[in-house]
Amino acid sequence: MEHIFTDDYFMKKALQEAEIAFDKGEIPVGAVIVVDNRVIARTHNLTELLHDVTAHAEMQAITSAANFLGGKYLKGCTLYVTLEPCQMCAGALYWSQISKIVFGASDENRGFQKMGAQLHPKTQVISGVLEKECADLMKAFFKNKR
Amino acid sequence: MEHIFTDDYFMKKALQEAEIAFDKGEIPVGAVIVVDNRVIARTHNLTELLHDVTAHAEMQAITSAANFLGGKYLKGCTLYVTLEPCQMCAGALYWSQISKIVFGASDENRGFQKMGAQLHPKTQVISGVLEKECADLMKAFFKNKR
């Protein structure tokens, strides 16, 4: 039997969350956190609804996963997120010592790589998973807004 | 009459919050957000109690102030915080477009300046206000821990 728990598999779950954000009029970013092939947090951007710049999908996912695990460190966990994290989220991921980050689309303007923020040295990063699907959803959102 | 609403005045309020964190066994960082000389948020670090790396004093202050104001932008606001913000908090402050940040002690290891994170270009920064008092509280905390 083929192994179904691929990066694509979990990124699709993050994309489903991004679509929920899209339907709410939020910038469509979704995230899931996975440990041992089990999704322990699923979140989407809620900055508009909550009037809160800190309500990025990743920030909520970190809080939610830590609640689930009963501890603040996310060692052994993987974050799947449809857009490259910003420096705020990279900073939170740094503190969490998360093991792996997989993101879909790059953010050339406000992504942590462009802005210069640092991840924890132990964190592995994979980019470009379902990149087109993730980027297309963002493009559709901003096209609607104009 | 001398103007009482100085940076020292509001940093003392942030220090009072840091002392509450100290008493709870949290790394003693406190913050207040001020608009028109009125304190609209007062918070302290709660990362241990909440098992949540995102529960820095500044993050809670941003959320709290935005709730108070009914909008996510903190233009016209000043954050007073006893320790230099980390890259996560700097990233959140960037998104908030806060007008002014006043911090007490520098964080040579994990402060946003060392880590390379960026604030919003419109944000004014003042450092070293009640620096010794802010730093002494941190030193006392870590001395107790060892």
Side-chain angles (χ1 to χ4, degrees), chain B residues 4-61:
Chain B
I4 65 160
F5 297 123
T6 60
D7 283 344
D8 277 24
Y9 176 87
F10 289 115
M11 189 60 83
K12 274 181 195 153
K13 308 262 180 222
L15 257 171
Q16 286 165 9
E17 286 294 318
E19 286 162 5
I20 297 171
F22 184 97
D23 292 341
K24 289 178 177 173
E26 298 278 355
I27 293 177
V29 181
V32 299
I33 290 180
V34 174
V35 62
D36 295 334
N37 291 328
R38 182 177 174 191
V39 174
I40 61 168
R42 57 179 79 220
T43 54
H44 52 269
N45 177 38
L46 285 173
T47 48
E48 295 305 319
L49 207 68
L50 299 180
H51 305 303
D52 187 348
V53 297
T54 76
H56 283 193
E58 302 95 311
M59 300 300 282
Q60 298 175 69

Side-chain angles (χ1 to χ4, degrees), chain B residues 6-137:
Chain B
T6 60
D7 283 344
D8 277 24
Y9 176 87
F10 289 115
M11 189 60 83
K12 274 181 195 153
K13 308 262 180 222
L15 257 171
Q16 286 165 9
E17 286 294 318
E19 286 162 5
I20 297 171
F22 184 97
D23 292 341
K24 289 178 177 173
E26 298 278 355
I27 293 177
V29 181
V32 299
I33 290 180
V34 174
V35 62
D36 295 334
N37 291 328
R38 182 177 174 191
V39 174
I40 61 168
R42 57 179 79 220
T43 54
H44 52 269
N45 177 38
L46 285 173
T47 48
E48 295 305 319
L49 207 68
L50 299 180
H51 305 303
D52 187 348
V53 297
T54 76
H56 283 193
E58 302 95 311
M59 300 300 282
Q60 298 175 69
I62 292 165
T63 298
S64 180
N67 272 340
F68 178 86
L69 295 170
K72 64 180 178 164
Y73 294 116
L74 303 183
K75 292 173 190 171
C77 294
T78 300
L79 169 76
Y80 292 86
V81 58
T82 56
L83 184 69
E84 180 186 345
C86 73
Q87 52 179 358
M88 168 180 72
C89 295
L93 291 161
Y94 176 98
W95 290 124
S96 80
Q97 300 184 26
I98 197 163
S99 295
K100 190 173 160 188
I101 298 170
V102 182
F103 67 87
S106 293
D107 183 346
E108 305 293 344
N109 296 314
R110 304 288 168 80
F112 76 94
Q113 297 179 120
K114 170 74 180 293
M115 297 294 277
Q118 295 174 45
L119 294 175
H120 195 278
K122 287 185 186 160
T123 302
Q124 182 195 356
V125 180
I126 294 174
S127 63
V129 172
L130 300 189
E131 183 169 13
K132 188 176 181 312
E133 291 87 335
C134 294
D136 282 352
L137 193 61

Side-chain angles (χ1 to χ4, degrees), chain A residues 28 43 53 122 144:
Chain A
T43 54
V53 297
K122 287 186 186 158
N144 274 356

